[in-house]
Amino acid sequence: MMRWSFLVVGMALSLPAHAQLTGPVKNGDTTITVTGTKPRDSKVEMSDWRMAETPHVVVFSKDDEKDLLRTAHNLEKLHFLLSALTGRVDEPDETIKIAVTMIGDAGEFERLRLTDLRWQYGPFPEAFAKTIYYDPREDGSVLATTRDGVNLILRPSYGAPTSRNCTGDRDPYIASVVVSPRVTGDGGLTVDPDQILAQLPVNELAFCQSAESRLYAGFAQNFLMTYFPAAYPRWYLQGFGEMFATMEAGDDFVEYGHLPPGYFQVMDSYNAYPVSDILDGRYLSGRRAWTPYHAWRLVHLLYFSDAWKPRLLAYLNAMARGADSKSAASAFGDPAELQRAMTAYRGRKLQGERMTFPAERAPAPTVRRLTRAEAGLIRGRLELGARIEVPAEAGPQRSAALARRAAWLDGLRENARRFPNLVEHQLLLAEAECRAGNPGECLEAAEQALAQLPTETRALMWKGTALTQLAARAPAAERARRFKEARSFIIKANRLDPEGILPLIAYYNSFAVAGERAPDPAIEGLAKVVYSAPAAPGPRLKLGQELIGRGLKDKARSTLLPVAKGPFASPEQPAAAALLSRAEIGKPAR
């Protein structure tokens, strides 16, 4: 569509582009380094956190090294499997690696209050606890889940309930029982049966959902949205992810499509779902009990059936072209036929597949232990997307979100104050302040980082961003000069790291903040951002608007469709839908 060149005029500085913990990392690059701890430091404190890296994923966890290596390696195998199934093996890949974080148990995960803005897990019944967070960010997708599994309780116990957490490799019904025998009248001992029953999960129906199953499901969804972005219905993405949630992997093979644990109990506990309600989107209303297992069943049927798979592909192609749900559903033929097929699809011999491959096609991860300074960034980077953006409408939710953001920012400021020489903390604070609209504080943190590392590209970029925001508030007579000064720091960051994504975003945004028409190099940079982070809706919305303004309505339409008619509600969706409507009916751009 456009050249990917940007801003590098004349002689670019020939410096290595170090991928870092606080910045995006391109797929295929396995040279993550973290700057900030000065070489003269005689003692570096280490943390309990480790980072495992493969060509397509970075995983952070407190797991022991063996478990972390296995998880990261399996995700790399899943990437190879999905690439083979979609014909992408050995294709060039300039997208940004997904960053995965595994966090404690369900309680610890929930206490983070990671609000989903651009992806939704359900709507599922309360029994299907949400232990996964996904955010398709403009600087690379973020995925998080618990380190422990969680017991999904379909029917509560009359006695002591099963522990909420589980490991996924043991029977959730096994429980330890402590009894206190009492002495009988003849000097013997007896045990009260009610005392035992009170400690057992009596008549409970529960099963363990492993943490890895959530990782695999989320990873598969991200794969589709990254390499094949389209206007998918949510049920298809959910079912596609669940097909790979039960993946089993060995050194040279991967199996997928197995029945999920508790499948028959779920099917017996919840009514069969009407196909018509799925295809027209009524399942999203939550009026009926829609579960991940309903999504698994429908997609598994359509995917593995020689009769239904061609119809599925025709349906998805229609949705990708922007067809309405009713027109696209006609690809399946008679709805009653599909309903009968889905209702009958519950046997114990449902098809799965095994793919064998040379072990070297899924390289083993590298792993290293993180310093305390590096580990301190993990939670902050994860929370960034959930804390910065708040509901636009006035009300209790907005007030609560603003209070959480203020408290979170205060914590980052305190860390930066206590550890002024740790560049990582200054960079995180600078990003948070700029994204929260606090340019003065952002500038101060960026300057603190630059005092130690004058060529730190992210510090230069955040300095330029802060100056851009301050220029917009300056008197009219000063704005042109101040915007030019702000862009000079962003351009310097780009020249130091021509492949960096964040300077491209900052350069384009500098014109949007100034209310100026973006020049071609800025649009080319924005296009590269969409190319590097295809799942992120924000850059797509901006690029679609620019393409419409340049009369490239067909390209604008394909850019906007995954947002405007995509599977998830996002802050960008209404604006994308309005732009798409203008592109389709030929209205001039505003």
Side-chain angles (χ1 to χ4, degrees):
M1 177 174 59
M2 295 181 177
R3 293 173 295 111
W4 299 127
S5 58
F6 165 64
L7 292 180
V8 186
V9 292
M11 183 66 70
L13 297 179
S14 179
L15 294 176
H18 291 296
Q20 304 183 37
L21 185 67
T22 53
V25 185
K26 289 292 184 69
N27 278 309
D29 185 351
T30 56
T31 57
I32 287 186
T33 59
V34 181
T35 61
T37 302
K38 292 187 175 182
R40 65 173 179 268
D41 289 347
S42 59
K43 182 179 180 181
V44 177
E45 293 186 64
M46 304 306 291
S47 73
D48 294 333
W49 284 86
R50 290 179 172 83
M51 178 186 74
E53 184 188 10
T54 74
H56 297 97
V57 66
V58 179
V59 184
F60 302 98
S61 178
K62 284 186 178 180
D63 272 342
D64 65 48
E65 187 169 330
K66 182 179 179 181
D67 289 342
L68 177 58
L69 281 168
R70 180 177 58 82
T71 299
H73 202 182
N74 281 355
L75 287 173
E76 183 65 25
K77 292 172 185 177
L78 178 54
H79 187 279
F80 181 77
L81 168 64
L82 292 166
S83 298
L85 294 175
T86 56
R88 276 199 48 80
V89 175
D90 296 329
E91 288 291 314
D93 190 353
E94 290 297 317
T95 60
I96 300 170
K97 289 184 184 185
I98 185 171
V100 174
T101 306
M102 303 185 74
I103 303 166
D105 60 19
E108 185 177 351
F109 181 86
E110 289 168 353
R111 285 192 291 274
L112 288 176
R113 299 178 69 91
L114 298 174
T115 306
D116 295 315
L117 289 176
R118 296 175 172 86
W119 178 86
Q120 290 83 42
Y121 185 51
F124 299 136
E126 185 177 352
F128 291 84
K130 178 184 177 296
T131 55
I132 188 169
Y133 168 75
Y134 174 71
D135 189 6
R137 300 179 183 177
E138 60 187 13
D139 55 349
S141 294
V142 171
L143 180 65
T145 188
T146 57
R147 202 170 62 246
D148 299 334
V150 61
N151 279 315
L152 301 187
I153 301 174
L154 303 182
R155 185 173 62 234
S157 168
Y158 294 139
T162 295
S163 170
R164 188 179 184 195
N165 301 301
C166 60
T167 62
D169 57 3
R170 62 181 176 84
D171 186 341
Y173 296 98
I174 296 175
S176 59
V177 178
V178 179
V179 296
S180 300
R182 58 183 175 81
V183 180
T184 62
D186 59 4
L189 296 176
T190 186
V191 175
D192 184 355
D194 291 338
Q195 186 185 42
I196 297 176
L197 292 177
Q199 299 180 61
L200 295 174
V202 180
N203 206 34
E204 182 180 80
L205 180 58
F207 58 90
C208 184
Q209 184 181 63
S210 71
E212 284 190 347
S213 76
R214 298 307 85 207
L215 274 186
Y216 299 157
F219 189 90
Q221 288 190 35
N222 177 73
F223 183 95
L224 272 192
M225 292 188 290
T226 297
Y227 297 106
F228 301 94
Y232 297 106
R234 194 186 301 180
W235 65 263
Y236 177 73
L237 268 182
Q238 289 174 341
F240 185 85
E242 295 301 325
M243 272 208 312
F244 299 94
T246 55
M247 182 189 76
E248 297 179 6
D251 291 339
D252 61 353
F253 76 89
V254 179
E255 294 180 358
Y256 71 102
H258 294 300
L259 280 173
Y263 175 75
F264 296 104
Q265 293 95 322
V266 171
M267 291 297 104
D268 289 339
S269 298
Y270 296 97
N271 295 327
Y273 213 92
V275 166
S276 59
D277 284 11
I278 300 173
L279 298 181
D280 67 12
R282 280 182 287 179
Y283 69 102
L284 295 173
S285 69
R287 289 194 297 268
R288 290 176 180 265
W290 170 257
T291 76
Y293 288 37
H294 288 94
W296 179 93
R297 179 165 67 168
L298 179 55
V299 174
H300 197 279
L301 162 67
L302 298 173
Y303 186 87
F304 280 103
S305 168
D306 291 337
W308 288 104
K309 191 169 187 177
R311 302 188 214 184
L312 171 63
L313 295 176
Y315 167 81
L316 293 175
N317 285 333
M319 293 293 289
R321 293 192 300 269
D324 61 84
S325 57
K326 183 177 180 181
S327 299
S330 65
F332 290 121
D334 182 4
E337 181 186 2
L338 179 55
Q339 182 69 62
R340 288 191 296 270
M342 188 176 74
T343 302
Y345 202 67
R346 53 172 292 123
R348 294 181 179 274
K349 295 183 179 180
L350 299 184
Q351 185 175 354
E353 283 188 348
R354 169 184 281 221
M355 183 186 76
T356 58
F357 56 89
E360 62 269 17
R361 296 311 303 261
T366 58
V367 64
R368 71 176 180 86
R369 194 173 170 187
L370 299 181
T371 66
R372 288 189 64 184
E374 295 166 357
L377 291 177
I378 293 173
R379 177 168 173 165
R381 289 290 303 167
L382 188 59
E383 291 178 313
L384 192 63
R387 295 290 177 270
I388 292 300
E389 297 188 58
V390 299
E393 301 80 13
Q397 288 187 334
R398 176 176 171 82
S399 298
L402 286 170
R404 285 195 297 271
R405 184 172 75 179
W408 180 72
L409 283 171
D410 284 343
L412 296 186
R413 292 165 185 158
E414 176 62 17
N415 283 340
R417 186 192 64 78
R418 290 177 58 198
F419 307 106
N421 294 327
L422 294 179
V423 174
E424 298 97 330
H425 289 279
Q426 304 300 332
L427 290 172
L428 179 59
L429 178 60
E431 180 173 1
E433 298 284 17
C434 265
R435 292 191 186 278
N438 302 323
E441 293 84 349
C442 175
L443 181 60
E444 182 180 351
E447 294 282 25
Q448 182 74 28
L450 288 170
Q452 300 173 72
L453 294 173
T455 59
E456 167 51 59
T457 57
R458 289 161 300 154
L460 288 166
M461 187 275 302
W462 289 120
K463 179 177 180 178
T465 299
L467 291 174
T468 297
Q469 294 179 12
L470 291 169
R473 305 176 185 182
E478 300 178 17
R479 287 178 189 168
R481 175 186 61 80
R482 294 182 67 167
F483 276 119
K484 182 177 180 181
E485 178 192 10
R487 290 183 189 121
S488 70
F489 291 99
I490 299 171
I491 291 171
K492 184 177 180 179
N494 169 257
R495 288 178 172 174
L496 288 168
D497 182 9
E499 294 302 311
I501 293 299
L502 294 175
L504 304 179
I505 299 170
Y507 187 68
Y508 173 82
N509 287 343
S510 72
F511 294 97
V513 170
E516 302 173 15
R517 180 182 173 88
D520 286 347
I523 307 305
E524 292 168 3
L526 183 60
K528 184 174 181 179
V529 174
V530 173
Y531 184 74
S532 300
R540 283 187 172 275
L541 174 61
K542 296 172 183 176
L543 182 59
Q545 187 169 18
E546 295 292 346
L547 293 172
I548 290 175
R550 285 160 173 75
L552 301 172
K553 293 182 179 178
D554 287 343
K555 297 186 184 302
R557 190 171 182 275
S558 62
T559 300
L560 291 167
L561 267 169
V563 183
K565 296 189 175 183
F568 305 113
S570 69
E572 295 82 7
Q573 193 172 57
L579 282 173
L580 181 64
S581 178
R582 289 216 301 272
E584 289 178 336
I585 64 177
K587 287 185 178 180
R590 179 169 53 86

